[in-house]
Amino acid sequence: PTPFPCGSPSSCVGHDPAALQRVDIQNETYYVTFVTGSNNGEALGIRYIKRGDHHWQKGPDSYLYPEWVGRYLAVHKLACGPNYEHKACSLWAPDLPSSGNGQKPGNDRFLVYYSISDDAVRGDKGVKCIGYATAAWPQMALVDSGSPVLCVNGTQANQGAPHAI
């Protein structure tokens, strides 16, 4: 990808980093992670570092907003998109499975899980879901799976159902 150097700590803002995934391309090795957005309307941020470098780079922003969300949650693009500067998108806590991401180490394919919730609208009774998307290095254009992996509401979670978040 075209790197956006993280020259200052504020230029690579993001939290809830996922595990690292190694990518080997054209005799170069990169380590890639996903972060919860940085309050600029992106759903998930991509950060990477080239082996031997000392500074993280900012990858392309992802404005992923799964089409299935409106069928399960009472949210409608809550602050997701490039026009929502200084707002947080409702997708968060990305995760790359730590077992090689289901991919051969060094592979350029990614599988990333994420959480989404409508707690901001419904409080503790809100619905919480886990979804997943795939992408390929270096473009990193996330493509959603089309349906959630798991959704539960607060009442179900309190009664012992699996916790989505």
Side-chain angles (χ1 to χ4, degrees):
T2 303
F4 303 97
C6 301
S8 68
S10 63
S11 64
C12 263
V13 173
H15 56 92
D16 298 331
L20 293 175
Q21 180 173 325
R22 188 183 90 207
V23 178
D24 297 320
I25 301 286
Q26 300 173 351
N27 298 321
E28 300 286 352
T29 298
Y30 297 88
Y31 296 94
V32 181
T33 190
F34 287 82
V35 296
T36 296
S38 62
N39 294 332
N40 288 318
E42 76 270 36
L44 302 172
I46 299 166
R47 306 294 184 264
Y48 65 94
I49 192 167
K50 185 176 167 183
R51 181 186 289 179
D53 282 357
H54 301 285
H55 301 284
W56 284 92
Q57 304 290 322
K58 182 178 183 292
D61 289 330
S62 170
Y63 296 101
L64 173 75
Y65 196 81
E67 292 182 20
W68 57 262
V69 168
R71 295 191 309 266
Y72 292 85
L73 294 98
V75 294
H76 300 285
K77 292 198 175 189
L78 281 179
C80 293
N83 298 326
Y84 289 97
E85 189 172 343
H86 306 298
K87 302 221 179 206
C89 183
S90 50
L91 273 68
W92 49 286
D95 188 37
L96 293 165
S98 59
S99 62
N101 195 17
Q103 307 289 334
K104 183 181 113 191
N107 197 324
D108 66 346
R109 303 287 306 161
F110 286 78
L111 170 71
V112 60
Y113 289 92
Y114 58 84
S115 301
I116 187 166
S117 165
D118 63 5
D119 285 355
V121 176
R122 295 183 181 173
D124 288 343
K125 301 281 187 218
V127 175
K128 300 134 184 64
C129 295
I130 295 174
Y132 76 92
T134 57
W137 180 269
Q139 295 81 15
M140 299 305 286
L142 289 168
V143 177
D144 190 70
S145 67
S147 62
V149 174
L150 169 73
C151 290
V152 297
N153 65 34
T155 302
Q156 293 168 320
N158 289 336
Q159 293 173 349
H163 289 254
I165 296 178

